Amino acid sequence: PTRPPRRAAGTMTGTTNAEAAYCEEGGYCNYGWNEVLTHMSPYGWGYYGIGLGLGCSVVGAAWGIWLTGSALTGAAVKAPRIRSKNLISVIFCEATAIYGVILAIILLTKVQTKDLADTLPADWENDQFYFAGYAVFSSGLSVGLTNLASGISVGIAGSSCALADAQDPSLFVKILIVEIFASALSIFGIIVGIIQSNNADFPTE
């Protein structure tokens, strides 16, 4: 990527003379977000995406189980018959975390590292290198955010299903359809995430 224009040594605040001289010679000084973000290691971008994808998926599943589980146990005090069949709501919430684990495993196979010297070879494929990092990051972020939203929506729908079933058993199937559509959001996310990372091949030679 193209380096941003350098500042003069006198315009940089909070730096020593040695640091200012290093910047004058063309070194990266991280004095702007543009330089910080464009000069991060593609391996770092890849692993950040994997972490966000898995972490947000687990948070979404936990949040959904918290919502539906608390409502289910509370309603089951007055209507014990709802305990078994409403566990399907908890399973739908847990599925979002499973989708995150699946994608994390897929993305980990994409990040192929090698022993890099201090200076990369002249024929190193930098475009492919950075594209792979950004693709893995965006894939993980897409799946993580969709799973987070899906887990919360399934949890809210599941808690409503448990309370409605306790009052009227005929409402169970109707609200369960809403849960299925909420759970489908995470499937859409993982499909798009796999497509995003499909061509993310880190150079190894």
Side-chain angles (χ1 to χ4, degrees):
T2 305
R3 294 183 180 183
R6 303 293 164 193
R7 299 183 191 177
T11 63
M12 301 186 65
T13 59
T15 60
T16 64
N17 291 334
E19 291 171 340
Y22 176 73
C23 295
E24 288 286 338
E25 294 173 0
Y28 295 124
C29 305
N30 293 342
Y31 54 67
W33 281 109
N34 177 51
E35 186 166 317
V36 172
L37 297 177
T38 57
H39 294 90
M40 288 174 58
S41 170
Y43 291 125
W45 281 111
Y47 282 111
Y48 291 150
I50 294 171
L52 284 173
L54 181 59
C56 290
S57 298
V58 172
V59 169
W63 202 331
I65 293 173
W66 169 42
L67 292 172
T68 191
S70 58
L72 174 58
T73 53
V77 174
K78 292 295 185 180
R81 59 178 175 78
I82 72 171
R83 288 177 299 182
S84 298
K85 62 180 180 179
N86 276 276
L87 286 177
I88 192 171
S89 301
V90 178
I91 295 173
F92 280 146
C93 293
E94 186 66 24
T96 60
I98 295 174
Y99 295 147
V101 172
I102 291 173
L103 186 90
I105 294 173
I106 293 174
L107 295 182
L108 281 171
T109 62
K110 297 283 187 180
V111 183
Q112 300 176 359
T113 58
K114 62 168 292 184
D115 294 332
L116 300 177
D118 292 337
T119 303
L120 296 176
D123 59 347
W124 182 256
E125 299 178 5
N126 283 297
D127 292 340
Q128 179 184 354
F129 192 36
Y130 276 91
F131 171 79
Y134 294 148
V136 172
F137 175 79
S138 62
S139 175
L141 184 62
S142 299
V143 173
L145 293 179
T146 53
N147 282 345
L148 177 62
S150 177
I152 295 174
S153 62
V154 170
I156 295 174
S159 63
S160 302
C161 183
L163 296 175
D165 186 24
Q167 294 293 324
D168 185 357
S170 64
L171 295 175
F172 175 75
V173 176
K174 298 176 182 178
I175 302 181
L176 185 63
I177 296 175
V178 178
E179 284 190 65
I180 293 174
F181 281 111
S183 180
L185 298 176
S186 58
I187 298 177
F188 301 153
I190 195 170
I191 291 173
V192 173
I194 291 174
I195 295 174
Q196 284 179 304
S197 64
N198 193 34
N199 296 322
D201 296 322
F202 283 84
T204 56
E205 296 180 357

